[in-house]
Amino acid sequence: MDTPTFLRPRPLTSGSRVAALSLSSGFVTEVPHRYAAGVRQAAESLGWDIVPAPNAFRGPDYLYANPQARADDLHWALTNPEIDGMVSIIGGDDSIRLLPYLDLALIRAHPKVFLGYSDATVTLTQFLRAGVMAYHGPAVLTDLAENGGIHPYVAQSLRQAFGGQAYDLSPSPEWTEAGQDWEDEAAQSVRREFQPGDGWTWLQAGQAEGHLLGGCIEILDMLSGTPGELPLRLWRGAVMALETSNDVPKPAQVGYWLRNWAAKGVLQQLSGLLLARPRDYTPEMVEDLYSWVRRALKEADREDLPVVANVDFGHTSPQLTLPLGARVRLDSAAGRVTIWP
C-alpha cells in the first residue's frame, strides 16, 4: 500500500510573523477588541507577531461578495517573504466558495503553516490535496482570544505540534462550553468556568498507525462531490479525525455521513478513527452518537477499526492542535495516541 507523504512547513516559533486571514466570515470587524486580545495573548504566550492580511478587515458584506479577495489574502501570505505562517480569524459557512480561486501549486511551492478549524476545514483540505501538512487547531477569536488568556493546554499543544519531536496526545484536565459575550470588553479578562476533564472513550479497541486526515464533519460533507474533496487515494491507511460543530448535528446524521464514506470506500481504507468531544451534546445524545458510530462501522465490516472518542479538538475548549498529514499511532491497550509531526 502506497503511503501518502506531505511536506512539513517551517514551524511557528517565538518571533514568527503570522498572517491573520478572514477566509470565511468577516465578523472580526464587529469585535475588534476580541481580535486585539487574541493578538496580544498570542504574543505573550507564544511569541507570535500576528498581522492582518490586506482584506481581513474589510467587513462581512465585502468578504461575502468577494470570495476571490479572501483567496487573494491566502496567496499573499504564501508568497510574502515576511510572513512565516497563517491563522484563521474565525470560521463561518462559505469557505467552499473559495475553491475556484485557490492555487494548489502555489500552496505546494510555498509550504507554510496554516492553522484553523471549523469552516477552515475547506482550506486545510486544499493544503492536504497540495501535499502540504496543515494544522487543525485554534482560531484568533476563539482559543487565542480565550477569556483570561490562552489556556495552557492549548499553548502546550501548539508547541508540540510545531516541535518536530514525537509526542503523546493527552486528555485535557478540564473543559468548558460556557458561553462568552464577545461584545463585553470587561468580560475579556474574566476566566470562564471549567469542569473536570472526563478523559477519552475507546469505542473499538486495537492498534493502528497512519497519516492523520480530517476536520469538521459538516464541512467535509459540504466538500463531498466537489473538486475540493480529498481523493480516495489519500485516505489509504489514514487515521480519520472528525469533529462536530456548534450546529449540533443529530447523532443519526453523523451515522448517515459515516455510511456515505462507507459507500465511497473511504471507511474501508482507514487504519483508525479519532472522534472529538461533541459540542453541546447531552449525555443521551453522546450515547446515541457512539451507538451510531458502532453501527455504521459494523455495517462497513470495520469492527476491527480502532476508535477513540471524546478527544479534545475542534469545537471544544480548550482544544488540541492536530498536525494533519503527520503520522499517528493509536494503541487502546496503552491508552495512547502518539504523533510524529
Side-chain angles (χ1 to χ4, degrees):
M1 180 183 296
D2 294 332
T3 301
T5 58
F6 301 86
L7 298 176
R8 180 177 183 267
R10 181 179 299 176
L12 297 182
T13 60
S14 181
S16 291
R17 174 165 283 193
V18 183
L21 307 179
S22 291
L23 298 181
S24 187
S25 170
F27 171 73
V28 65
T29 54
E30 299 180 29
V31 286
H33 59 277
R34 179 80 179 181
Y35 173 83
V39 171
R40 182 183 68 254
Q41 292 177 178
E44 293 169 351
S45 296
L46 303 165
W48 298 355
D49 177 18
I50 294 181
V51 296
N55 295 303
F57 274 78
R58 297 195 66 172
D61 292 342
Y62 177 85
L63 291 178
Y64 174 76
N66 293 279
Q68 183 167 359
R70 294 181 258 159
D72 288 346
D73 276 358
L74 177 68
H75 299 155
W76 167 83
L78 288 168
T79 57
N80 188 331
E82 296 183 355
I83 298 297
D84 300 305
M86 298 150 286
V87 60
S88 173
I89 293 178
I90 192 62
D93 60 15
D94 81 335
S95 286
I96 197 165
R97 296 174 60 221
L98 274 60
L99 288 180
Y101 308 107
L102 294 177
D103 187 336
L104 269 61
L106 199 67
I107 292 173
R108 186 169 180 86
H110 302 275
K112 293 182 180 181
V113 166
F114 175 71
L115 174 67
Y117 74 109
S118 193
D119 200 39
T121 294
V122 169
T123 307
L124 295 168
T125 302
Q126 304 324 298
F127 271 66
L128 296 168
R129 289 183 60 228
V132 178
M133 288 176 60
Y135 297 81
H136 188 284
V140 176
L141 294 184
T142 58
D143 297 80
L144 299 189
E146 175 62 44
N147 292 37
I150 296 175
H151 196 284
Y153 183 79
V154 171
Q156 178 190 30
S157 182
L158 284 165
R159 295 188 186 101
Q160 288 175 325
F162 299 132
Q165 302 294 322
Y167 64 98
D168 285 348
L169 299 183
S170 60
S172 177
E174 59 181 3
W175 66 283
T176 187
E177 290 179 348
Q180 301 172 92
D181 184 355
W182 286 3
E183 296 181 359
D184 183 355
E185 293 189 50
Q188 181 62 46
S189 61
V190 180
R191 191 177 191 268
R192 291 191 286 169
E193 290 188 9
F194 286 73
Q195 56 185 303
D198 45 3
W200 300 337
T201 299
W202 289 87
L203 301 185
Q204 295 188 167
Q207 296 180 341
E209 185 174 326
H211 55 290
L212 189 60
L213 300 178
C216 181
I217 192 168
E218 293 99 318
I219 306 304
L220 290 171
D221 180 65
M222 285 185 189
L223 285 168
S224 181
T226 73
E229 183 178 22
L230 284 178
L232 185 61
R233 62 178 176 80
L234 289 186
W235 287 111
R236 292 173 187 155
V239 173
M240 176 187 268
L242 296 176
E243 60 109 355
T244 56
S245 79
N246 50 350
D247 286 342
V248 195
K250 294 180 179 179
Q253 182 61 65
V254 175
Y256 302 156
W257 284 324
L258 290 173
R259 283 174 171 171
N260 188 323
W261 277 313
K264 292 180 181 182
V266 171
L267 292 189
Q268 293 81 349
Q269 302 290 331
L270 299 181
S271 63
L273 180 60
L274 294 179
L275 298 174
R277 181 192 307 281
R279 176 66 182 264
D280 291 330
Y281 275 40
T282 65
E284 293 76 19
M285 291 175 70
V286 172
E287 288 305 312
D288 196 18
L289 172 67
Y290 293 169
S291 294
W292 267 103
V293 171
R294 292 188 182 101
R295 180 186 306 180
L297 293 177
K298 183 177 182 179
E299 293 168 352
D301 197 25
R302 289 312 314 267
E303 291 176 286
D304 63 315
L305 190 72
V307 181
V308 56
N310 209 45
V311 183
D312 303 272
F313 68 95
H315 287 76
T316 185
S317 297
Q319 68 163 302
L320 293 162
T321 294
L322 300 181
L324 302 179
R327 300 294 296 177
V328 58
R329 179 173 174 80
L330 310 184
D331 185 342
S332 63
R336 295 178 66 183
V337 177
T338 306
I339 291 183
W340 289 266

